[in-house]
Amino acid sequence: MSFENNNFQVVRKSRLPKGEFSLSCNVSADGEIAKVFAVSLNAYCENQEITNGVVSYSGHVDVCMIYQLETGEVGSAFSTCPFSSKFEDESIVSGERAIINLKVIDHSIDSVSGNDATIGMVIEQSGLLVQNAEVRSITSNDQSVCLKEEEVSVIRFIGCATASAVETAQHSTREKVKKVLGSESSVIVKSAEAGVNFVSVSGDVVTKVLYLDENDKFENVQIYDQFKEEIEIEGVSRESLIEAVSALNNACVKIEVEDDDKGSKITATVPFEITAYAFEETALNMVVDLYSTESEMEISTESFNMTKPVAMECVEGKVDGSLTIEDDQPRVDKILFTFGSTAQVTNTYVEGGELTIEGIAKTTVVYLNDELSTFNAVEIEVPFQISDKTKATESSMLLTSAILTDVDLAVKKGREIFFDGKVRAIVAISDDEVSAAISEAREGEVYDGRDCAMELVFAKEGASLWDIAKMNRVRQSLIAEQNPNVIFPLQENSDLVIFYQCK
């Protein structure tokens, strides 16, 4: 009696262990720093290496710092701070692919000395592992072995690819731009579709530019653009399931200003990367039960997890709140600008058919106090909750990223700052399915020879042809041929005849 391997592959997603690490970065200004107002921080993963038990990666944090010099001039400085880190877990296997999420969740101005400022930050790392896992399954061509096969649907990971893209967008101003102080860009994927050997990914690019105009007035402009990129992945068909993530290297963003008779034209050139992940759903025949007509069988069954990508859903909503300035702080006479705006997701869940995203919107407000003739800065944090109808279930695996746009502020009575903005989030939804496959079969004791030429079998209502054949250790075809008028599963209790000499 012989059995052959009939192994197959299914995709499996698992979460990387979430963690935090600290990083310190030195930023140099063009003169002696009197005060640091605000910083924009963007963490970027450059490469990864996966070995058994460890995901090692390296990246950098792009820093844009807005400051005031001892001379009173407001300026900006840029720096890139490299780092390396890792995830450690026994379940990590070489050959997997990691989707790494990095967030700067906290920062502080640790010291200011001369031209230099030291910025401390806390970076949160999280993500997912994606891999094809092999499932052990068997089959047999042995005449004495009867197999019960069922068509099952399985998902496998086809592959992934990364494409570099550049989007250029413009904004015209009536006043001439005197000096660009800083910018902060963000990219978010909104949809991903499959073609033949390629995927199409679209989304939004948003760039906020802070500048001084010719009248030394601080101005913020937000420049919007949309993208659509095609990425080649061999083996993709129109029925493939696609997920995509974006990554932005803020150090490579370019802001250019061109003056004309009507004012200035601000051009934002934003390079970014899109990584697409392709999955395929296929049907295959898998042995779910077996028996031998000649001997006892010992069957081993192994369970396996399979992850099915369900959808990528975009959720948008407003966020608003307020901050009251303490009495011992200078009052707000005029809001000058905001900088360092982020939307940090803290929780995503599904309840009652709705997908809810919770988090904290943050920005730094720089304002003028007339009495002291000083520029002052305060960070405002506003919790948010946005929701929408969803295809996800309460047990779905959710991977969420979000950006904050359209930040607007107003002040009341010099003490209360009102915050208003929009949060855009994309959620990749996957469901875990647990199934089982027969992984091994061993021959046991040989059955004793039959002591009769025929047998009358009493079968109960609802019994299937397979169940009856397995119980009596004969092939299904033998029972069906000898009982041609019987319909299976049985509609009622029935007596069946089996002639063994007809084998």
Side-chain angles (χ1 to χ4, degrees):
M1 188 177 299
S2 62
F3 291 93
E4 301 171 356
N5 289 331
N6 190 31
N7 298 351
F8 57 93
Q9 291 187 326
V10 298
V11 66
R12 182 183 65 193
K13 287 184 182 180
S14 57
R15 291 195 180 276
L16 289 166
K18 183 183 291 188
E20 298 176 2
F21 62 92
S22 299
L23 185 66
S24 184
C25 183
N26 186 71
V27 185
S28 297
D30 291 333
E32 190 169 353
I33 301 172
K35 185 183 296 184
V36 174
F37 291 132
V39 293
S40 175
L41 305 167
N42 180 69
Y44 176 77
C45 179
E46 292 181 297
N47 55 64
Q48 59 176 260
E49 181 182 2
I50 302 179
T51 56
N52 289 339
V54 181
V55 176
S56 302
Y57 70 95
S58 62
H60 64 262
V61 176
D62 299 321
V63 182
C64 179
M65 180 179 75
I66 310 297
Y67 58 83
Q68 185 177 41
L69 297 177
E70 291 290 350
T71 60
E73 180 183 357
V74 176
S76 58
F78 302 86
S79 183
T80 296
C81 304
F83 66 87
S84 60
S85 186
K86 60 184 177 181
F87 299 88
E88 294 182 289
D89 193 274
E90 293 180 356
S91 64
I92 297 172
V93 179
S94 177
E96 295 181 333
R97 174 75 183 187
I99 304 174
I100 298 174
N101 285 339
L102 299 173
K103 303 176 190 174
V104 181
I105 59 174
D106 197 14
H107 73 275
S108 60
I109 312 302
D110 291 343
S111 66
V112 176
S113 178
N115 292 25
D116 298 326
T118 301
I119 300 172
M121 61 194 81
V122 178
I123 301 174
E124 180 187 88
Q125 61 178 24
S126 61
L128 295 176
L129 287 172
V130 183
Q131 74 157 168
N132 277 328
E134 187 168 73
V135 178
R136 295 176 60 193
S137 181
I138 61 172
T139 189
S140 177
N141 292 318
D142 197 302
Q143 293 299 311
S144 65
V145 177
C146 299
L147 304 176
K148 183 180 181 182
E149 294 184 323
E150 289 183 0
E151 186 176 86
V152 296
S153 179
V154 299
I155 311 289
R156 70 179 184 91
F157 179 43
I158 299 174
C160 63
T162 300
S164 297
V166 178
E167 289 296 322
T168 301
Q170 295 180 333
H171 177 84
S172 296
T173 67
R174 293 182 179 179
E175 297 80 18
K176 284 185 168 49
V177 175
K178 178 180 179 180
K179 181 181 182 181
V180 174
L181 293 174
S183 67
E184 43 191 354
S185 297
S186 53
V187 178
I188 190 164
V189 172
K190 297 191 76 172
S191 65
E193 298 178 350
V196 179
N197 293 323
F198 76 93
V199 300
S200 178
V201 182
S202 58
D204 295 333
V205 180
V206 183
T207 300
K208 179 179 178 180
V209 182
L210 171 64
Y211 65 91
L212 280 172
D213 67 13
E214 57 188 340
N215 300 313
D216 287 329
K217 181 183 177 181
F218 294 96
E219 295 286 354
N220 277 312
V221 297
Q222 206 142 28
I223 305 173
Y224 295 91
D225 197 11
Q226 295 181 331
F227 70 86
K228 187 173 184 178
E229 293 293 325
E230 290 188 355
I231 305 172
E232 293 184 4
I233 302 180
E234 190 69 27
V236 170
S237 68
R238 297 187 188 279
E239 290 72 38
S240 297
L241 307 169
I242 307 298
E243 294 179 351
V245 296
S246 59
L248 174 66
N249 187 347
N250 260 309
C252 298
V253 174
K254 292 183 179 180
I255 307 297
E256 298 175 307
V257 177
E258 182 181 351
D259 294 333
D260 55 32
D261 295 338
K262 298 180 180 180
S264 294
K265 184 181 294 181
I266 302 172
T267 302
T269 303
V270 183
F272 58 96
E273 294 178 345
I274 300 294
T275 302
Y277 299 81
F279 308 87
E280 179 183 52
E281 184 170 14
T282 59
L284 57 84
N285 289 325
M286 183 174 71
V287 175
V288 297
D289 197 6
L290 62 85
Y291 64 90
S292 170
T293 59
E294 297 179 352
S295 60
E296 295 180 354
M297 298 295 301
E298 295 180 14
I299 298 174
S300 298
T301 302
E302 292 185 9
S303 63
F304 63 90
N305 287 355
M306 178 177 65
T307 307
K308 181 177 182 178
V310 175
M312 293 183 65
E313 296 182 348
C314 186
V315 183
E316 300 183 2
K318 288 188 63 176
V319 52
D320 52 50
S322 63
L323 172 70
T324 301
I325 304 294
E326 298 293 337
D327 291 339
D328 59 349
Q329 298 296 316
R331 63 176 280 124
V332 181
D333 291 309
K334 183 180 181 181
I335 293 175
L336 299 175
F337 62 87
T338 64
F339 202 66
S341 301
T342 62
Q344 296 180 2
V345 176
T346 57
N347 190 27
T348 306
Y349 61 91
V350 176
E351 188 174 25
E354 280 203 340
L355 174 66
T356 299
I357 302 170
E358 297 175 337
I360 300 174
K362 296 182 180 182
T363 195
T364 299
V365 183
V366 178
Y367 65 92
L368 173 67
N369 176 265
D370 289 335
E371 182 181 359
L372 302 175
S373 297
T374 58
F375 290 171
N376 305 277
V378 62
E379 186 176 63
I380 182 170
E381 298 185 358
V382 177
F384 66 83
Q385 183 182 84
I386 59 176
S387 60
D388 205 347
K389 298 293 183 182
T390 183
K391 295 179 181 178
T393 66
E394 295 182 10
S395 60
S396 293
M397 181 182 294
L398 309 172
L399 182 65
T400 308
S401 59
I403 62 173
L404 178 65
T405 65
D406 301 315
V407 173
D408 190 24
L409 294 152
V411 63
K412 182 179 180 181
K413 296 181 180 180
R415 288 292 170 189
E416 194 166 10
I417 299 175
F418 291 90
F419 173 97
D420 185 88
K422 293 180 180 178
V423 173
R424 300 183 185 184
I426 188 73
V427 184
I429 302 167
S430 300
D431 283 341
D432 255 1
E433 299 180 0
V434 180
S435 190
I438 296 176
S439 57
E440 189 177 3
R442 295 175 296 275
E443 185 179 12
E445 294 185 8
V446 176
Y447 293 131
D448 295 334
R450 300 186 189 275
D451 56 4
C452 62
M454 65 157 296
E455 189 172 359
L456 184 65
V457 175
F458 174 74
K460 292 185 178 181
E461 177 185 351
S464 68
L465 178 59
W466 171 267
D467 294 335
I468 298 169
K470 182 179 180 180
M471 181 177 62
N472 292 277
R473 308 192 308 273
V474 297
R475 290 193 167 275
Q476 295 180 83
S477 58
L478 180 65
I479 295 177
E481 290 169 1
Q482 295 178 356
N483 300 270
N485 297 322
V486 179
I487 298 174
F488 299 94
L490 295 178
Q491 306 300 307
E492 58 185 9
N493 294 341
S494 303
D495 292 328
L496 305 178
V497 177
I498 303 176
F499 294 93
Y500 297 115
Q501 68 266 33
C502 297
K503 287 177 60 178

